[in-house]
């Protein structure tokens, strides 16, 4: 599996636009800045919804209104983050694919999506009975805490990708090498 | 406020005066003199505990950067929610006053988080940012943003929103979004400079 991922990453790395994007000072930095600054839209809205469920924000506004009205801007933010994230991966495919932080981030993004789906379903089933309460019931609050926790760790991992502490080019313990997908004798980093 | 010599616009005029003063300061020799005078302060910042931790323990620096980003996300969310409501784009069926007041609390907390973590980060790279023009642009944007928010926008929105000219309200909301995004964008660009 790691060989396959490495092979695909090398193939992407060989494409002209990957090199152009990576070598363009302004283009790469604009894409990265957009990726980071869109946090203010996507995670900003998500935090407001989660904090409402936990009772820390807008306690006098029905929870369903906050969740419904902020959903669209939040999704727009996530779409932009997703597109710019793909471009960032495409610009540096081999190093990204073999970054332990990137891999943890991808797993956590799946966890975030599953948690959001469950939270949304639980809310839809029961919101009419607690919509105007300042805090949601405990099982909804657990979902909101998980959402805040998962996304915070996603941001931590995203930030840590920039550092080369656990890169394959360094000597690492075998477990780290395995989890990062380092290949014996690889020539591209 | 109406007892003031400048009437209800006292704080607005004082803030604008301060911003004009800062811009004036930027184009005089006094600025270059001050730039030299504050250099020891930046040297001292790197010798503080924050500076030592930030410089020697990269993981701590990166972790604090993350908290800074999370604070920024909350700040952005509260600004966009409040200004989106004023502009009639978001949560139009919720009273604007409610959204604006609740978002003000969130923005204040997020500002505390970002400033505290920002000070920590600045200590770790004090001598680097001292020489970066974009750092000073960010500081200018931050001070403008804080002054605009607490001395212009907040007092204005404490009035009954129905009584305020809609154009003034919209201009305030758009200015608020622009100034906070400028703070965030210049902050991000610090990472690409130097």
């Amino acid at each position: 599996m790691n060989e396959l991922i490495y092979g695909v990453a090398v193939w992407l790395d060989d494409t002209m636009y990957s090199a152009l994007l990576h070598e363009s000072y302004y283009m790469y930095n604009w894409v990265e800045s957009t990726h980071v600054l869109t946090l203010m839209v996507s995670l900003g809205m998500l935090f407001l919804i989660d904090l409402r469920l936990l009772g820390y924000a807008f306690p006098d506004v029905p929870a369903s209104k906050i969740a419904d009205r902020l959903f669209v801007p939040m999704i727009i933010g996530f779409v932009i983050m997703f597109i710019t994230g793909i471009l960032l991966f495409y610009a540096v495919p081999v190093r990204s694919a073999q970054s332990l932080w990137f891999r943890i981030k991808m797993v956590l993004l799946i966890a975030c999506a599953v948690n959001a789906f469950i939270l949304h379903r639980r809310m839809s089933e029961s919101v009419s009975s607690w919509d105007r309460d300042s805090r949601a019931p405990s099982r909804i609050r657990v979902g909101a805490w998980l959402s805040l926790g998962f996304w915070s760790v996603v941001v931590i991992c995203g930030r840590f990708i920039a550092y080369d502490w656990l890169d394959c080019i360094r000597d690492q313990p075998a477990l780290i090498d395995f989890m990062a997908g380092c290949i014996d004798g690889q020539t591209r980093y | 406020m109406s007892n003031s010599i400048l009437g209800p616009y006292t704080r607005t005029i004082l803030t604008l005066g301060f911003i004009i003063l800062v811009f004036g300061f930027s184009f005089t020799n006094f600025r270059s003199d001050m730039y030299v005078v504050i250099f020891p302060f930046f040297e001292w910042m790197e010798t503080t505990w924050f500076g030592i931790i930030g410089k020697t323990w990269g993981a701590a620096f990166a972790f604090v950067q993350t908290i800074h980003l999370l604070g920024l996300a909350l700040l952005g969310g509260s600004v966009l929610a409040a200004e989106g409501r004023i502009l009639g784009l978001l949560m139009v069926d919720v009273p604007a006053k409610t959204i604006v007041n609740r978002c003000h609390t969130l923005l204040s907390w997020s500002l505390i988080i970002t400033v505290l973590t920002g000070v920590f980060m600045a200590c770790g790279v004090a001598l680097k940012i001292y020489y970066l023009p974009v750092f000073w642009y960010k500081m200018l944007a931050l001070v403008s943003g804080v002054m605009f928010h607490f001395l212009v926008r907040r007092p204005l929105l404490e009035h009954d929103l129905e009584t305020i000219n809609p154009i003034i309200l919209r201009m305030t909301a758009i200015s608020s979004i622009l100034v906070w995004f400028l703070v965030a964008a210049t902050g991000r660009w610090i990472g690409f400079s130097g």
Side-chain angles (χ1 to χ4, degrees), chain A residues 25-26 29-30 32-33 36-37 39-41 43-45 47-48 51 56-61 65-66 69-70 73 151-152 155-156 159-160 163 165, chain B residues 58-59 61-63 65-66 69-70 72-78 80-81 90-94 98-99 102-103 106 180-181 184-185 188-189 192-193:
Chain A
Y25 175 78
Y26 284 106
N29 286 352
W30 272 113
E32 196 180 36
S33 297
V36 174
L37 294 184
L39 275 177
M40 295 169 80
V41 184
L43 280 197
M45 298 298 159
F47 284 175
L48 295 187
L51 290 174
Y56 297 123
F58 311 109
D60 44 358
V61 182
K65 268 191 184 171
I66 296 289
R69 307 302 186 266
L70 298 184
W151 277 108
S152 299
V155 176
I156 291 173
R159 188 61 228 143
F160 280 18
Y163 294 88
W165 307 314
Chain B
F61 188 84
F63 183 75
Q65 269 185 328
T66 308
L69 280 177
L70 293 173
L72 182 73
L74 185 58
L75 189 148
S78 50
L80 287 174
L90 286 175
M91 299 187 279
V92 287
D93 50 353
V94 181
T98 307
I99 299 296
R102 297 295 179 186
C103 285
L106 291 171
W180 289 117
F181 268 83
R188 185 67 205 100
W189 216 260
F192 299 134
S193 311

Side-chain angles (χ1 to χ4, degrees), chain B residues 27-80:
Chain B
F27 294 103
T28 60
N29 287 336
F30 187 52
R31 186 186 70 105
S32 356
D33 297 342
M34 279 297 291
Y35 191 60
V36 176
V37 169
I38 59 172
F39 182 73
F41 175 72
F42 280 76
E43 280 184 314
W44 170 79
M45 282 170 75
E46 287 209 354
T47 64
T48 59
W49 276 106
F50 280 179
I52 292 165
I53 293 170
K55 270 193 302 184
T56 55
W57 196 17
F61 188 84
F63 183 75
V64 174
Q65 269 185 328
T66 308
I67 308 295
H68 192 71
L69 280 177
L70 293 173
L72 182 73
L74 185 58
L75 189 148
S78 50
V79 167
L80 287 174

Side-chain angles (χ1 to χ4, degrees), chain A residues 68-137:
Chain A
D68 288 347
R69 307 302 186 266
L70 298 184
F71 181 76
V72 172
M74 179 182 76
I75 291 298
I76 291 171
F78 277 125
V79 167
I80 297 171
M81 284 190 86
F82 188 65
I83 293 168
T84 50
I86 289 173
L87 287 173
L88 288 175
F89 177 85
Y90 179 56
V92 197
V94 178
R95 184 174 176 270
S96 302
Q98 292 188 323
S99 163
L100 182 58
W101 303 114
F102 178 81
R103 290 178 172 215
I104 296 172
K105 183 177 172 177
M106 291 303 109
V107 171
L108 280 169
L109 283 176
I110 294 168
C112 286
V114 171
N115 182 59
F117 176 75
I118 295 170
L119 185 61
H120 180 74
R121 204 179 60 183
R122 283 183 176 172
M123 264 189 78
S124 306
E125 286 168 358
S126 66
V127 73
S128 55
S129 61
W130 53 266
D131 201 16
R132 291 186 175 277
D133 294 353
S134 59
R135 283 200 320 170

